[in-house]
Amino acid sequence: MARRKRTSLVLEKAVRRAAGINSIAPNLDLGNGLSLPAFSTLIETMRTRENTYNSALSSLDKLYREMLDTEDQLGDMTEHMLMAVGTRYGKSSLEYGMAGGVPKNQRRKGLRGDSQTPTTEEPSFIASVDSKNGKKPAATS
């Protein structure tokens, strides 16, 4: 998604005001550095900086898209490199493991629903048998 370009409401207001002041007198000088030519110069400076900023954003967007494309290419080549090592040396070889793959003979195949990490917790209940009266085992917690 492209970055949002900037538009200055202050610049738009200044352009409208300069047009109104220009209708009074094209070279109006109100003293203390407040003249229409100075105002127009500052408006053009702002317009130039805003355009430069928006152009820089467009360039940045282009660089970002190029970087993402290169990242995709790198990911694909990384996968192809591992597959090529697996093809040349075998997927159970030490070389395959050195290239970052998990050797086929070291993969852990779990059943569906099994957790991937072994747990060392004790069961939450213990079955006990009352041998005196011959009753069935009772669960206790």
Side-chain angles (χ1 to χ4, degrees), residues 65-83 99:
R65 284 190 306 272
E66 289 172 353
M67 182 193 65
L68 290 179
D69 289 343
T70 304
E71 186 178 39
D72 288 343
Q73 291 173 1
L74 181 60
D76 289 344
M77 189 167 185
T78 300
E79 184 179 351
H80 288 134
M81 293 291 287
L82 180 62
M83 290 181 350

Side-chain angles (χ1 to χ4, degrees), residues 15 27 72 76 80 95 115 119 126 128-129 132:
V15 168
N27 290 322
D72 288 343
D76 289 344
H80 288 134
E95 291 83 0
S115 65
T119 58
I126 301 172
S128 63
V129 178
K132 293 180 186 176

Side-chain angles (χ1 to χ4, degrees), residues 24-91:
I24 297 171
N27 290 322
L28 184 65
D29 188 354
L30 300 170
N32 293 332
L34 299 175
S35 67
L36 187 57
F39 191 44
S40 297
T41 301
L42 191 56
I43 288 171
E44 286 307 312
T45 301
M46 177 58 193
R47 184 174 285 137
T48 301
R49 290 194 176 158
E50 184 179 65
N51 289 339
T52 302
Y53 175 80
N54 288 335
S55 295
L57 284 181
S58 295
S59 296
L60 187 60
D61 286 339
K62 179 183 176 208
L63 288 172
Y64 181 69
R65 284 190 306 272
E66 289 172 353
M67 182 193 65
L68 290 179
D69 289 343
T70 304
E71 186 178 39
D72 288 343
Q73 291 173 1
L74 181 60
D76 289 344
M77 189 167 185
T78 300
E79 184 179 351
H80 288 134
M81 293 291 287
L82 180 62
M83 290 181 350
V85 169
T87 301
R88 177 169 284 177
Y89 296 102
K91 288 191 175 182

